[in-house]
Amino acid sequence: MDTLLSSEGDSQRTQYPYVTGTSVIGFKYKDGILMAADMGGSYGSTIRYKSVERLKQVGKHSLIGASGEISDFQEILKYLDELILHDNMWDDGNSLGPKEVHNYLTRVMYNRRNKFDPLWNSLIIGGVKNGHKYLGSVGMIGVHFEDDHVATGFGNHLARPILREEWRADLTFEEGVKLLEKCMRNLLYRDRSAVNKLQIAKITEEGLTVSQPYSLKTFWNFAAFENPTVGATGSW
Amino acid sequence: MSSIGTGYDLSVTTFSPDGRVFQIEYAAKAVDNSGTVVGIKCKDGIVIVIEKLIASKMMLPGSNRRIHSVHRHSGMGVAGLAADGRQIVARAKSEAHNYENTYGEPIPIKELADRVASYVHLCTLYWWLRPFGSGVILGGYDRDGPQLYMVEPSGVSYRYFGAAIGKGRQAAKTEIEKLKLSEMTCRQGVIEVAKIIYGVHDEAKDKTFELEMSWVCDESNRQHQKVPEALLEEAKEAAKTALEEMDAD
């Protein structure tokens, strides 16, 4: 029963996230959209799951990346699956594009937030339909926007500045991947919930590919790390 | 076939002295007077085809779809009252959806047919509801392979390897029985059923018709979809040629 003043029994106050995914980064490039996310699922401060796929296809034209509560993401994927199925069953030559999927998710997220029962995720939706590239973001409180490059969580603080400097609209696929890896490497160094196993997804007019999981090479041979205690007085 | 059920045909909750429920029989008449719907089970899938009688030249070709997808793996063709058929399809979609949500796998076709039949039957049990004036041919592909079912307005549902309802059903059934369905692929089946429909269409009594065809087979990745344009055209051509050859005799 949905009443304005719900009773104690049926109302769910703000939840706590249990298994969470960290940042997702995405940007437009020459042929479409590129997105990257690592495969970690953290259980608080423990990195519990290391093969979580956080980039998924939605219908013919869209790609979704999620950070936040993984179970809520699975629920969102179920809603999207239903949405796409019903769209396909019309069989009218039309199909939902990234803009429509983004709008649908915004409605879902915002309405859940208004019931004090949010889906604890930050989502990035990207895709290409009829030559038109689209990239948008929506969070657990329903805040949504479109941009040429977006990120969730720590990605906003660590990756976006890099993208603001180095992103261009005419990036080739190879340049885009290098840029993504630069951002992901930065996140790997600085975000404690990052895991060195990532997937990169690209979506173009032709279709979507999600790469096989792989790891980034990291560099730790900084002089300050060679002899870490040399400058410390009274080290213990 | 018609008999006067004076007095015993006013309500679906009344039996006649000879054990018939006339309202249900009248509902079946609505199906019998509609355009022919044929379904066949080939060795690798199902083909459903409909003779869609065009009521007016002003109607856009391709509109008023009579074959609907119920889920990824199944579809149904409706005959009889279109609006009643729409309700049955909506219910089937809902059943398929709920089953998958609960059990995590696509609804087995047998189960789907069962549920649709129960629903149609339900509407023959109460005096404040009327029976559905449409029958459906339901085809799908699940773990047990391709299956074809037919549900009548009485709520009865049987599994078939070839079924036909509507105006030309008698002639269509005769033709279907001549086919060796177990050796045929859907690709070949599409051509054969197109010939059947063109064959049973009554040029004199009915106006023009549009051919609507769908299939679920290995070639369509076990998804229910419209038969591809190219194959549809090929089927129509073959059917027209066969018709001309018959007329030439």
Side-chain angles (χ1 to χ4, degrees):
Chain A
M1 261 293 270
D2 286 314
T3 54
L4 278 173
L5 302 161
S6 339
S7 66
E8 274 303 300
D10 59 356
S11 107
Q12 272 250 56
R13 294 256 120 194
T14 320
Q15 314 147 352
Y16 297 95
Y18 287 99
V19 179
T20 54
T22 184
S23 328
V24 181
I25 327 172
F27 52 75
K28 294 182 186 170
Y29 77 107
K30 184 157 71 82
D31 306 322
I33 311 286
L34 273 169
M35 238 189 250
D38 69 23
M39 300 191 74
S42 307
Y43 186 62
S45 53
T46 311
I47 300 191
R48 174 75 180 82
Y49 301 102
K50 295 208 217 158
S51 296
V52 180
E53 286 185 27
R54 299 193 292 116
L55 301 171
K56 290 281 183 185
Q57 179 164 22
V58 181
K60 271 207 301 244
H61 306 284
S62 323
L63 167 65
I64 184 174
S67 67
E69 174 62 58
I70 299 297
S71 64
D72 283 349
F73 179 47
Q74 289 173 340
E75 190 73 359
I76 287 171
L77 288 176
K78 221 165 63 135
Y79 291 151
L80 289 174
D81 190 53
E82 190 184 329
L83 184 75
I84 299 294
L85 177 65
H86 282 132
D87 185 46
N88 286 344
M89 288 206 288
W90 278 108
D91 203 12
D92 58 357
N94 216 340
S95 50
L96 293 171
K99 187 174 163 64
E100 289 88 56
V101 172
H102 184 217
N103 198 31
Y104 171 79
L105 286 172
T106 305
R107 290 297 99 227
V108 169
M109 302 300 269
Y110 181 66
N111 277 294
R112 288 287 296 253
R113 159 262 177 133
N114 283 345
K115 294 196 278 195
F116 284 95
D117 183 17
L119 289 161
W120 204 286
N121 296 106
S122 293
L123 307 165
I124 295 189
I125 294 100
V128 190
K129 189 173 162 195
N130 296 335
H132 186 75
K133 297 186 277 238
Y134 184 90
L135 182 65
S137 164
V138 60
M140 68 187 257
I141 48 175
V143 172
H144 62 285
F145 47 85
E146 274 179 68
D147 209 338
D148 296 325
H149 48 80
V150 289
T152 67
F154 264 85
N156 276 311
H157 303 104
L158 298 171
R160 300 283 310 278
I162 301 177
L163 295 172
R164 279 181 209 120
E165 280 298 297
E166 303 187 19
W167 179 85
R168 288 174 352 254
D170 60 350
L171 288 167
T172 64
F173 175 66
E174 289 74 24
E175 291 172 333
V177 171
K178 266 183 67 178
L179 187 54
L180 268 180
E181 287 185 348
K182 183 171 183 179
C183 296
M184 292 301 282
R185 188 172 291 111
N186 203 9
L187 283 166
L188 183 59
Y189 287 137
R190 293 293 178 178
D191 179 3
R192 71 149 189 199
S193 25
V195 141
N196 195 3
K197 186 173 166 194
L198 67 141
Q199 288 180 304
I200 293 198
K202 94 164 168 17
I203 184 163
T204 61
E205 187 77 56
E206 283 75 49
L208 173 142
T209 26
V210 183
S211 74
Q212 286 292 38
Y214 70 103
S215 301
L216 295 169
K217 287 203 185 31
T218 53
F219 178 74
W220 298 95
N221 285 348
F222 293 103
F225 295 159
E226 304 264 314
N227 223 341
T229 59
V230 87
T233 48
S235 56
W236 42 290
Chain B
M1 246 255 33
S2 50
S3 39
I4 301 173
T6 325
Y8 302 113
D9 61 348
L10 297 174
S11 160
V12 76
T13 52
T14 307
F15 276 101
S16 76
D18 49 348
R20 295 155 73 173
V21 184
F22 280 102
Q23 279 295 309
I24 299 181
E25 295 190 16
Y26 296 161
K29 290 231 179 32
V31 180
D32 293 341
N33 290 334
S34 108
T36 318
V37 180
V38 167
I40 54 167
K41 169 172 129 65
C42 306
K43 71 175 176 198
D44 65 338
I46 306 282
V47 181
I48 300 177
V49 60
I50 299 199
E51 171 203 17
K52 209 163 60 177
L53 298 167
I54 301 179
S56 150
K57 285 200 175 63
M58 303 284 258
M59 271 171 41
L60 199 68
S63 67
N64 287 68
R65 293 284 302 274
R66 296 263 299 280
I67 306 185
H68 302 96
S69 283
V70 166
H71 203 60
R72 273 172 281 260
H73 64 349
S74 52
M76 47 170 67
V78 299
L81 301 176
D84 285 15
R86 212 171 28 237
Q87 271 300 90
I88 301 181
V89 171
R91 181 72 186 210
K93 285 183 180 172
S94 164
E95 293 284 0
H97 182 67
N98 284 331
Y99 185 96
E100 190 167 54
N101 267 351
T102 312
Y103 300 104
E105 66 148 15
I107 186 168
I109 311 301
K110 178 176 190 295
E111 182 67 32
L112 180 61
D114 241 16
R115 293 192 184 194
V116 171
S118 296
Y119 181 60
V120 171
H121 179 235
L122 189 83
C123 299
T124 66
L125 295 173
Y126 304 102
W127 61 266
W128 35 266
L129 280 179
R130 66 163 174 79
F132 282 104
S134 31
V136 301
I137 291 191
L138 161 66
Y141 203 146
D142 64 20
R143 285 204 280 187
D144 302 319
Q147 289 155 71
L148 183 72
Y149 288 86
M150 179 163 90
V151 182
E152 299 169 19
S154 57
V156 126
S157 154
Y158 289 120
R159 189 172 163 188
Y160 294 88
F161 48 81
I165 43 181
K167 278 196 214 289
R169 70 189 174 288
Q170 302 287 36
K173 278 190 216 163
T174 322
E175 291 303 308
I176 294 172
E177 278 167 28
K178 293 184 192 160
L179 299 172
K180 288 206 177 59
L181 291 170
S182 55
E183 294 164 17
M184 221 184 260
T185 62
C186 277
R187 204 149 247 279
Q188 298 163 316
V190 163
I191 315 278
E192 292 305 321
V193 287
K195 287 191 196 155
I196 294 178
I197 291 287
Y198 271 81
V200 306
H201 175 68
D202 193 338
E203 279 297 333
K205 278 218 226 109
D206 299 316
K207 300 141 261 185
T208 44
F209 74 100
E210 201 184 311
L211 195 69
E212 201 179 313
M213 278 213 268
S214 78
W215 65 3
V216 202
C217 56
D218 291 332
E219 203 179 315
S220 75
N221 245 323
R222 304 192 183 184
Q223 312 270 50
H224 179 256
Q225 50 180 229
K226 278 202 291 255
V227 164
E229 268 302 315
L231 186 57
L232 186 63
E233 288 308 311
E234 191 188 321
K236 284 189 195 167
E237 283 309 311
K240 286 187 197 139
T241 322
L243 205 57
E244 279 159 28
E245 281 171 15
M246 268 193 348
D247 285 342
D249 299 331

